[in-house]
Every structure is written in structure tokens, then in C-alpha cells.
Amino acid sequence: MDELDFDIIKRLQTDGRTSYTDISEELGVTVGTVRNRVQRLIENQILKIVGVVNPFKTGSPSVTIFGMKVRHQKLDHVIKKLVAIPEVRFVAAATGVYDLYVEVITSSNEELYRVMKNGISAIDGIESIESSLILEIFKQSYDWDVGSQSSQ
Amino acid sequence: MDELDFDIIKRLQTDGRTSYTDISEELGVTVGTVRNRVQRLIENQILKIVGVVNPFKTGSPSVTIFGMKVRHQKLDHVIKKLVAIPEVRFVAAATGVYDLYVEVITSSNEELYRVMKNGISAIDGIESIESSLILEIFKQSYDWDVGSQSSQ
DNA sequence: ATTGATATTGAAAAATTTATAATTTATTAT
DNA sequence: ATAATAAATTATAAATTTTTCAATATCAAT
């Protein structure tokens, strides 16, 4: 990871379909180099180019954020199980009131209930779950500051 | 929004750089149609094609999730102010313990402190803030089920 | 300095995107 | 129902981008 990687990422953060040609001209390297770099970043799972939708604009989905307290000996196990559930789209460890934050998106409340009952509740090691149904998303941006070589 | 829109979105959710040609062949429509649809979806802010990075793989950032309780009369105002802060990348209204969930990404703890002190704390109407520093992200997927015409 | 490994470049071929006009499909008013 | 209008889709060609690959350059270790 060097300055060029960061610069390429910055460009793709604002538009994931920016042509490698454009990026190469802007950054003063060859298209091939941009291509190689992007490929490597994607292979190493540092970068992912995806179409993102606001779930509330494509239907009436159930978006839920869970705050979980977990037995620390079981943390790895709980994470592994959660990650394996398709409807679980975000899992992160945190400090503070909850050990884990988990986001689930289903296309209905019935399906949410199914995931909670058969998927999440069945996991051994979860001590408590606080759940919040998301009503509306006001901001969802992906161009956060990836920093730079010099700032590390 | 019809079945074709959903199918195009589904394809882009897994790879944002899938060629329109590929999509068109797969869905049995012309490239032009795919192009028009994607353009319209992006214009209407239903779809966004972006490069997403795992912030923890591009440095040592501060990722924080805030749970906020807000005076309901001030909710619009608080949301407006939060959305305007560049480091705030996610704002959503919720049921449950918190009225708002907010995610902030900064490239350091110092910057996080600055955003909290000058940006967030300065907003009138926030009654309480619970903050959790995210330590690691285990899953971050974007291919949630956008449903279909028939399922709506 | 030399070797080996890795990354970048340049150039041509293949493929995709873009633009545009014609056609089809859908919508609205009569 | 029918005609008129609008909107979306198609087909085609030109412009651009992506891909491939051999040659060159860069870097790290000996």
C-alpha cells in the first residue's frame, strides 16, 4: 500500500466505474498499472467495487441493528456463526455497551423474525441482544478518508 | 422500478464493474437499455456504484458508532446537522433505545475528538449520546435482497 | 555488481461504451 | 376503440476503454 494505491482508492470511492484510463491520466501512470493495482487491492480484499442501494428505496425492507453482549470466551464462535448468515450484512466488534454490532437486512418482518429465531438466537454465547428497527436512512456514504502514506 | 431494474441491481451488487454488455446478454435486453436503466437508477439516487474499503485495512482509523437520544421536536434539525458533517458517513432513524444511529469515520482519534467536540456536541437537541469505538469489522456486504416486483 | 522477483510500460487486439436515429411500446385524451 | 403523444427499447457505427503480453524498469538481497 503506497500513495498510488490510496489515490486510486480515493478516485473509486466517489465513482466505482471511473475508467482506468481516466485514473491513469490523472495520476500520471499507465492504465496497466492502475489495472494491476485495482486487481491486487480487490484480491487482497482491501477494496470492493459494488452497486449500493438504499434499501428503503427498493421496497419496504426490514433493516435492524443489533447490539449484543457476548461471553468473551465464545466471541470467535459467535462472530463465525453471525458472518455465515446471509441476511447479516455487517458484523463488528466494539468497545462500550455492546461487544458486537450486527446489521441485518431482510425483505420483510416475517423473514427478520425467522432469521432472529433460527439464525441468531440459536447461537451459543450471546448473553443479551438489544435490537433497533431502522426506520429511515438519511446518509450512507462510502468516501471516507483512507488517509495516505505520509499520514501513517 | 420493475423486475429488470431489480435484476440489474442484483448483478451490480456483486460486482459494480460488471460490463453492461454482460448484463444485457444475461437479462436478454440491449446494452442501451441496461445503460439507460443504470443511469436512471443512479440519477434517482436509488443506486450508487462505489469502491468500498475496509477502513481497518487502509490504516488505523477511528470508526465509531453513536446511539443518540434526541428531542423529537429537534429531530429534523439534528439529522440535518449530522448529515452535513463529512466524517459522518451513516445516519439513520430507529426504534428502540436510540432515536438515531450515527457512524463516524476519521483517520485518527484526535480527529474523532475534534468531530465530536466541534461537530456533534454543538448540535442542539441531542439529549444523550452513547458511543462505541469499532475495533474490527468482520463482515461488510452490500448484496442484500432488493426483492422483486412480484414480492412487493 | 548480480541475481531473482516484482511492478511498470508500450502497443496492438479485443471488447465495451457511447451516441444517435429508427422502431417499438406504453400512455393519454378524444 | 383510435389517434396522438410520450417514453423506452433497439440496432448500428464510432469512440473509448479494457485486456493481453512481451519488453523494460525497479527493488531487495546477496
Side-chain angles (χ1 to χ4, degrees):
Chain A
M1 291 283 278
D2 60 7
E3 199 60 36
L4 181 58
D5 287 319
F6 286 116
D7 287 342
I8 291 171
I9 288 171
K10 279 173 194 161
R11 204 71 182 64
L12 291 170
Q13 275 182 318
T14 53
D15 180 1
R17 275 188 100 94
T18 313
S19 75
Y20 295 160
T21 307
D22 276 2
I23 298 174
S24 74
E25 279 168 7
E26 212 165 290
L27 302 181
V29 287
T30 319
V31 212
T33 300
V34 173
R35 199 179 128 72
N36 289 342
R37 295 295 189 110
V38 171
Q39 243 165 4
R40 212 190 50 210
L41 288 167
I42 290 172
E43 269 166 24
N44 298 342
Q45 299 183 40
I46 291 161
L47 174 71
K48 189 157 53 172
I49 299 173
V50 290
V52 185
V53 294
N54 177 338
F56 293 102
K57 294 201 173 170
T58 55
S60 312
S62 300
V63 182
T64 313
I65 291 181
F66 296 95
M68 298 184 184
K69 294 183 190 179
V70 178
R71 276 188 61 117
H72 282 108
Q73 295 98 327
K74 295 276 185 177
L75 194 57
D76 285 349
H77 171 253
V78 172
I79 290 167
K80 207 177 126 189
K81 289 285 186 181
L82 286 169
V83 163
I85 300 171
E87 290 86 356
V88 170
R89 64 152 300 273
F90 181 80
V91 177
T95 66
V97 198
Y98 308 109
D99 300 309
L100 290 182
Y101 276 96
V102 176
E103 189 184 332
V104 171
I105 299 185
T106 58
S107 53
S108 70
N109 285 341
E110 296 83 57
E111 217 191 310
L112 171 65
Y113 179 68
R114 194 182 52 71
V115 172
M116 283 176 68
K117 188 158 175 285
N118 305 330
I120 295 173
S121 303
I123 300 171
D124 179 46
I126 300 176
E127 288 180 334
S128 74
I129 302 181
E130 184 87 72
S131 69
S132 295
L133 205 62
I134 298 298
L135 303 172
E136 197 173 339
I137 295 169
F138 298 100
K139 185 173 185 178
Q140 208 177 5
S141 72
Y142 298 91
D143 57 340
W144 53 77
D145 183 12
V146 290
S148 61
Q149 188 72 343
S150 54
S151 74
Q152 290 197 192
Chain B
M1 291 283 277
D2 61 7
E3 198 61 35
L4 181 58
D5 287 318
F6 286 118
D7 286 341
I8 291 170
I9 289 171
K10 279 171 195 162
R11 203 69 182 66
L12 292 171
Q13 276 182 317
T14 53
D15 180 2
R17 278 188 98 94
T18 312
S19 75
Y20 295 160
T21 307
D22 275 4
I23 297 174
S24 74
E25 281 168 7
E26 212 165 291
L27 301 180
V29 287
T30 321
V31 213
T33 300
V34 174
R35 200 178 126 73
N36 289 343
R37 296 293 189 111
V38 172
Q39 242 164 6
R40 212 189 51 209
L41 288 167
I42 290 172
E43 267 166 25
N44 298 342
Q45 300 185 41
I46 291 162
L47 174 70
K48 189 158 50 171
I49 299 173
V50 290
V52 185
V53 293
N54 177 337
F56 292 102
K57 294 199 175 172
T58 55
S60 312
S62 299
V63 181
T64 312
I65 290 181
F66 295 95
M68 297 185 186
K69 295 182 186 175
V70 178
R71 279 189 59 116
H72 282 109
Q73 295 97 328
K74 294 278 186 177
L75 195 57
D76 285 349
H77 172 252
V78 171
I79 290 166
K80 207 175 123 189
K81 288 285 186 181
L82 285 170
V83 163
I85 300 171
E87 289 86 357
V88 170
R89 65 152 300 273
F90 180 81
V91 177
T95 67
V97 200
Y98 307 109
D99 301 308
L100 290 181
Y101 276 96
V102 176
E103 187 184 334
V104 171
I105 299 185
T106 56
S107 53
S108 69
N109 286 340
E110 295 84 56
E111 216 191 312
L112 170 66
Y113 179 68
R114 194 182 51 72
V115 172
M116 285 176 68
K117 189 159 175 283
N118 305 329
I120 295 172
S121 304
I123 301 171
D124 179 45
I126 301 176
E127 287 179 335
S128 73
I129 302 180
E130 185 87 68
S131 70
S132 295
L133 204 63
I134 298 297
L135 302 173
E136 197 172 339
I137 296 170
F138 298 100
K139 186 172 185 179
Q140 208 176 5
S141 73
Y142 299 91
D143 54 342
W144 55 76
D145 184 12
V146 291
S148 60
Q149 189 73 341
S150 54
S151 73
Q152 289 197 192

Coordinates of all heavy atoms in Angstrom, one line a residue, chain B residues 85-124:
Chain B
I85 N -22.0 16.9 8.3 CA -20.6 16.7 8.7 C -19.9 15.6 7.9 O -20.4 14.5 7.8 CB -20.6 16.2 10.2 CG1 -21.2 17.3 11.1 CG2 -19.2 15.9 10.7 CD1 -21.5 16.9 12.5
P86 N -18.8 15.9 7.2 CA -18.2 15.0 6.2 C -17.8 13.6 6.9 O -18.0 12.6 6.2 CB -17.0 15.7 5.7 CG -17.2 17.1 6.0 CD -18.1 17.2 7.2
E87 N -17.3 13.7 8.1 CA -16.9 12.5 8.7 C -18.0 11.5 9.1 O -17.8 10.4 9.5 CB -16.0 12.8 9.9 CG -14.6 13.4 9.6 CD -14.7 14.9 9.4 OE1 -15.8 15.5 9.5 OE2 -13.6 15.5 9.2
V88 N -19.2 12.1 9.2 CA -20.4 11.3 9.5 C -20.8 10.6 8.2 O -21.1 11.2 7.2 CB -21.6 12.1 10.0 CG1 -22.8 11.3 10.0 CG2 -21.2 12.7 11.3
R89 N -20.7 9.2 8.2 CA -21.0 8.5 6.9 C -22.3 7.8 7.0 O -22.7 7.3 5.9 CB -19.8 7.5 6.6 CG -19.6 6.4 7.5 CD -19.0 5.2 6.8 NE -19.9 4.8 5.8 CZ -20.9 3.9 6.0 NH1 -21.1 3.4 7.2 NH2 -21.7 3.5 5.0
F90 N -22.9 7.7 8.1 CA -24.2 7.0 8.2 C -25.1 7.6 9.3 O -24.6 7.9 10.4 CB -23.9 5.5 8.6 CG -25.2 4.7 8.7 CD1 -25.8 4.1 7.6 CD2 -25.7 4.4 10.0 CE1 -26.9 3.3 7.7 CE2 -26.8 3.6 10.1 CZ -27.4 3.1 8.9
V91 N -26.3 7.9 8.9 CA -27.3 8.5 9.8 C -28.6 7.8 9.5 O -29.1 7.7 8.4 CB -27.5 10.0 9.6 CG1 -28.6 10.5 10.6 CG2 -26.2 10.7 9.8
A92 N -29.2 7.2 10.6 CA -30.5 6.5 10.4 C -31.3 6.7 11.6 O -30.9 6.7 12.8 CB -30.2 5.0 10.1
A93 N -32.6 6.8 11.4 CA -33.6 6.9 12.5 C -34.0 5.5 12.8 O -34.1 4.6 12.0 CB -34.8 7.7 12.1
A94 N -34.2 5.2 14.2 CA -34.5 3.9 14.6 C -35.6 3.9 15.7 O -35.8 4.9 16.4 CB -33.2 3.2 15.1
T95 N -36.2 2.7 15.9 CA -37.0 2.5 17.1 C -36.1 1.8 18.1 O -35.0 1.4 17.8 CB -38.1 1.4 16.7 OG1 -37.4 0.2 16.5 CG2 -38.9 1.8 15.5
G96 N -36.5 1.8 19.3 CA -35.7 1.1 20.4 C -35.0 2.1 21.3 O -35.5 3.2 21.5
V97 N -33.9 1.7 21.8 CA -33.2 2.5 22.9 C -32.8 3.9 22.3 O -32.9 4.9 23.0 CB -32.0 1.8 23.4 CG1 -31.6 2.4 24.7 CG2 -32.2 0.3 23.5
Y98 N -32.4 3.9 21.1 CA -31.9 5.2 20.5 C -32.8 5.6 19.3 O -33.3 4.9 18.6 CB -30.5 4.9 19.9 CG -29.5 4.3 21.0 CD1 -29.1 3.0 20.9 CD2 -29.1 5.1 22.1 CE1 -28.2 2.5 21.8 CE2 -28.3 4.5 23.1 CZ -27.9 3.2 22.9 OH -27.0 2.7 23.9
D99 N -32.8 7.0 19.2 CA -33.6 7.5 18.1 C -32.8 7.6 16.8 O -33.3 7.4 15.7 CB -34.0 9.0 18.5 CG -34.9 9.0 19.8 OD1 -35.8 8.3 19.8 OD2 -34.5 9.7 20.7
L100 N -31.5 7.7 17.0 CA -30.6 7.8 15.8 C -29.4 6.9 16.0 O -28.8 6.9 17.1 CB -30.1 9.3 15.6 CG -31.1 10.3 15.1 CD1 -30.4 11.6 15.0 CD2 -31.8 9.9 13.8
Y101 N -29.0 6.3 14.9 CA -27.7 5.6 14.9 C -26.8 6.4 13.9 O -27.3 6.8 12.8 CB -27.8 4.2 14.4 CG -28.2 3.2 15.5 CD1 -29.5 2.9 15.7 CD2 -27.2 2.7 16.3 CE1 -29.8 2.0 16.7 CE2 -27.5 1.8 17.3 CZ -28.8 1.4 17.5 OH -29.1 0.6 18.5
V102 N -25.6 6.7 14.3 CA -24.7 7.5 13.5 C -23.3 6.9 13.5 O -22.9 6.4 14.5 CB -24.6 8.9 14.2 CG1 -23.6 9.8 13.4 CG2 -26.0 9.6 14.2
E103 N -22.8 6.8 12.3 CA -21.4 6.2 12.2 C -20.4 7.3 11.7 O -20.7 8.0 10.8 CB -21.4 5.0 11.3 CG -20.1 4.3 11.3 CD -20.0 3.2 10.3 OE1 -21.0 2.6 9.9 OE2 -18.9 2.9 9.8
V104 N -19.3 7.4 12.4 CA -18.3 8.4 12.1 C -17.0 7.7 11.8 O -16.6 6.7 12.5 CB -18.1 9.4 13.2 CG1 -16.9 10.3 13.0 CG2 -19.4 10.2 13.5
I105 N -16.4 8.0 10.7 CA -15.0 7.5 10.4 C -14.0 8.7 10.3 O -14.2 9.6 9.5 CB -15.0 6.7 9.1 CG1 -15.9 5.5 9.2 CG2 -13.6 6.2 8.8 CD1 -15.9 4.5 8.1
T106 N -13.0 8.6 11.1 CA -11.9 9.6 11.0 C -10.6 8.8 10.9 O -10.6 7.6 11.2 CB -11.9 10.5 12.3 OG1 -11.7 9.6 13.4 CG2 -13.1 11.3 12.4
S107 N -9.6 9.5 10.5 CA -8.3 8.8 10.3 C -7.5 8.7 11.6 O -6.4 8.2 11.6 CB -7.5 9.5 9.2 OG -7.4 10.9 9.4
S108 N -8.0 9.3 12.7 CA -7.3 9.2 14.0 C -8.3 9.5 15.1 O -9.3 10.1 14.9 CB -6.1 10.2 14.0 OG -6.7 11.5 14.1
N109 N -7.8 9.2 16.3 CA -8.6 9.5 17.5 C -8.7 11.0 17.7 O -9.7 11.5 18.2 CB -8.1 8.8 18.7 CG -8.4 7.3 18.7 OD1 -9.3 6.9 18.0 ND2 -7.6 6.6 19.5
E110 N -7.6 11.7 17.4 CA -7.6 13.2 17.6 C -8.7 13.8 16.7 O -9.4 14.7 17.2 CB -6.3 13.8 17.2 CG -5.1 13.3 18.1 CD -4.5 12.0 17.6 OE1 -4.1 11.9 16.5 OE2 -4.5 11.1 18.5
E111 N -8.8 13.3 15.5 CA -9.8 13.9 14.6 C -11.2 13.5 15.1 O -12.1 14.3 15.0 CB -9.5 13.3 13.2 CG -9.8 14.3 12.1 CD -9.8 13.7 10.7 OE1 -8.8 12.9 10.4 OE2 -10.7 13.9 10.0
L112 N -11.3 12.3 15.6 CA -12.6 11.9 16.1 C -13.1 12.9 17.2 O -14.2 13.3 17.3 CB -12.5 10.5 16.7 CG -13.8 10.0 17.5 CD1 -15.0 9.9 16.6 CD2 -13.5 8.6 18.1
Y113 N -12.1 13.2 18.1 CA -12.4 14.1 19.2 C -12.8 15.4 18.7 O -13.8 16.0 19.2 CB -11.2 14.2 20.1 CG -11.4 15.1 21.3 CD1 -12.2 14.8 22.3 CD2 -10.7 16.3 21.3 CE1 -12.4 15.6 23.4 CE2 -10.9 17.2 22.4 CZ -11.7 16.8 23.4 OH -11.9 17.7 24.5
R114 N -12.1 15.9 17.7 CA -12.5 17.2 17.1 C -13.9 17.2 16.5 O -14.7 18.1 16.7 CB -11.5 17.5 15.9 CG -11.5 18.9 15.5 CD -10.5 19.1 14.3 NE -10.6 18.1 13.2 CZ -11.6 18.1 12.3 NH1 -12.6 19.1 12.4 NH2 -11.7 17.2 11.4
V115 N -14.2 16.1 15.8 CA -15.6 16.0 15.2 C -16.6 15.9 16.3 O -17.7 16.6 16.2 CB -15.7 14.8 14.3 CG1 -17.1 14.5 13.9 CG2 -14.8 14.9 13.1
M116 N -16.4 15.2 17.4 CA -17.3 15.1 18.5 C -17.5 16.4 19.2 O -18.6 16.8 19.5 CB -16.8 14.0 19.5 CG -17.0 12.6 19.1 SD -16.3 11.4 20.2 CE -17.4 11.6 21.6
K117 N -16.4 17.1 19.4 CA -16.4 18.3 20.2 C -17.0 19.5 19.4 O -18.0 20.1 19.8 CB -15.0 18.7 20.6 CG -14.9 19.9 21.6 CD -13.6 19.8 22.3 CE -13.4 21.0 23.2 NZ -13.0 22.2 22.5
N118 N -16.5 19.7 18.2 CA -17.0 20.8 17.4 C -18.2 20.5 16.5 O -18.9 21.4 16.2 CB -15.8 21.3 16.5 CG -14.6 21.6 17.3 OD1 -14.6 22.0 18.5 ND2 -13.4 21.4 16.7
G119 N -18.3 19.3 16.1 CA -19.4 19.0 15.2 C -20.6 18.5 15.9 O -21.7 19.1 15.8
I120 N -20.5 17.3 16.6 CA -21.7 16.7 17.1 C -22.2 17.3 18.4 O -23.4 17.6 18.5 CB -21.4 15.2 17.3 CG1 -21.1 14.5 16.0 CG2 -22.5 14.5 18.0 CD1 -20.6 13.1 16.0
S121 N -21.3 17.6 19.3 CA -21.8 18.1 20.6 C -22.4 19.5 20.5 O -23.2 19.9 21.3 CB -20.6 18.2 21.6 OG -20.0 17.0 21.8
A122 N -22.0 20.2 19.4 CA -22.6 21.5 19.2 C -24.0 21.5 18.7 O -24.6 22.6 18.6 CB -21.6 22.2 18.2
I123 N -24.5 20.4 18.3 CA -25.9 20.3 17.8 C -26.9 20.4 18.9 O -26.8 19.6 19.9 CB -26.1 19.0 17.0 CG1 -25.1 18.9 15.8 CG2 -27.5 18.9 16.4 CD1 -25.0 17.6 15.1
D124 N -27.8 21.3 18.7 CA -28.9 21.5 19.7 C -30.0 20.4 19.6 O -30.5 20.2 18.4 CB -29.5 22.9 19.6 CG -30.6 23.1 20.5 OD1 -30.4 22.8 21.7 OD2 -31.7 23.7 20.1

